[in-house]
Amino acid sequence: KAGVTQTPRYLIKTRGQQVTLSCSPISGHRSVSWYQQTPGQGLQFLFEYFSETQRNKGNFPGRFSGRQFSNSRSEMNVSTLELGDSALYLCASEPGPNTGELFFGEGSRLTVL
Amino acid sequence: GIQVEQSPPDLILQEGANSTLRCNFSDSVNNLQWFHQNPWGQLINLFYIPSGTKQNGRLSATTVATERYSLLYISSSQTTDSGVYFCASRGGGADGLTFGKGTHLIIQP
C-alpha cells in the first residue's frame, strides 16, 4: 500500500511569507505527527494530530500550526517565515496515538531567502 | 522528556567490515526505532525494537530496556550502507519521538 505522501517536495519562500505543507498518511493510519530537521538542531518534534485534535506540541513558537482533516490528512502552516525556518519538514503516521512504529514521508524541503 | 544519545558520531570503515552503533536513552520507553536517512532525506525504517533482538539480513538490533540502551549491528558492510543512522524513542506520555543526533557512517570501497 502507498506510504506517507508529502507535498510539495521542495519550495522556496522569502522572509515574511507563509507556507502550508501537506501530508497524507498511510491508508488506515489516523495519527499524524510532524518533525523539523535542521543541521543545527537535528530532528525535533513539532506536533501530533489524532481525530482532528492536536494531542501534543513540541517547543516551537506559535507561528507553527497545523490541523488534521476528517480523512486523517494533515497540513502544517508556518507564518511570517524567518531564515531559520529553512529545514526539512517530515511527516510521520501510525495507526493511532502511541500505537507503535512510525512511518515517515519523503519530506518537504523549505528554503527561506 | 526522554534524552537520546548516539555513539559514535562518525564512523569510517572499509567495505566488508562489521560495525556496532549504540543508542542510550534516559528513561523507560514504549517505542524505540532505528532509521537510515537516505541522501534525499527520507527516514527509512530499519527496526521497531522497544525490547529484544531482531534481525533483517545483514542488519540486527538489540534493545536492553532495563539498561536503557539499544545496539544496531551491520555485518559485512557495503558502500550502500553509508549514510546517517538515527535512533529515536518515545516515553509513555503523548510526546513525539525524540531523536539522537545520529551516527554518520562512511563505508569505503
Side-chain angles (χ1 to χ4, degrees):
Chain A
K1 55 186 176 181
V4 179
T5 303
Q6 292 187 242
T7 57
R9 293 289 313 282
Y10 302 91
L11 65 168
I12 300 173
K13 295 285 188 178
T14 57
R15 280 181 298 174
Q17 288 186 310
Q18 65 92 27
V19 66
T20 299
L21 309 177
S22 179
C23 172
S24 294
I26 291 171
S27 177
H29 285 193
R30 298 173 59 202
S31 179
V32 174
S33 50
W34 289 88
Y35 294 79
Q36 180 198 62
Q37 185 177 26
T38 60
Q41 299 300 316
L43 280 151
Q44 294 183 287
F45 169 70
L46 277 160
F47 27 63
E48 180 189 5
Y49 286 88
F50 174 72
S51 291
E52 304 176 61
T53 301
Q54 186 180 94
R55 292 189 69 240
N56 199 21
K57 184 173 182 179
N59 188 23
F60 281 84
R63 299 185 298 105
F64 290 81
S65 63
R67 59 178 175 169
Q68 186 180 35
F69 301 95
S70 59
N71 62 357
S72 297
R73 189 177 70 86
S74 177
E75 290 181 347
M76 67 162 285
N77 183 278
V78 187
S79 63
T80 319
L81 285 166
E82 301 176 359
L83 296 178
D85 297 332
S86 295
L88 178 66
Y89 291 88
L90 292 163
C91 169
S93 79
E94 61 183 313
N98 274 329
T99 50
E101 189 172 10
L102 276 74
F103 296 87
F104 283 80
E106 294 179 299
S108 293
R109 192 171 294 276
L110 170 65
T111 300
V112 182
L113 302 177
Chain B
I2 292 219
Q3 295 175 23
V4 177
E5 293 185 359
Q6 291 187 244
S7 60
D10 301 282
L11 186 58
I12 301 174
L13 297 171
Q14 294 296 122
E15 201 167 22
N18 301 328
S19 57
T20 301
L21 283 57
R22 186 177 178 102
C23 172
N24 292 332
F25 43 92
S26 61
D27 206 343
S28 302
V29 298
N30 66 8
N31 178 324
L32 191 128
Q33 292 186 240
W34 284 97
F35 299 93
H36 181 205
Q37 189 163 39
N38 69 20
W40 296 271
Q42 186 174 12
L43 292 172
I44 306 300
N45 289 40
L46 297 177
F47 294 102
Y48 169 70
I49 188 165
S51 65
T53 297
K54 291 185 177 179
Q55 181 159 6
N56 184 4
R58 296 182 295 103
L59 275 62
S60 64
T62 295
T63 297
V64 183
T66 53
E67 297 187 24
R68 300 179 183 169
Y69 72 89
S70 182
L71 301 174
L72 177 68
Y73 305 97
I74 305 174
S75 64
S76 304
S77 299
Q78 301 174 358
T79 55
T80 52
D81 294 330
S82 296
V84 184
Y85 290 80
F86 288 101
C87 162
S89 67
R90 179 169 61 191
D95 294 340
L97 286 177
T98 298
F99 283 81
K101 294 186 183 300
T103 292
H104 187 194
L105 176 64
I106 297 173
I107 305 298
Q108 296 177 333

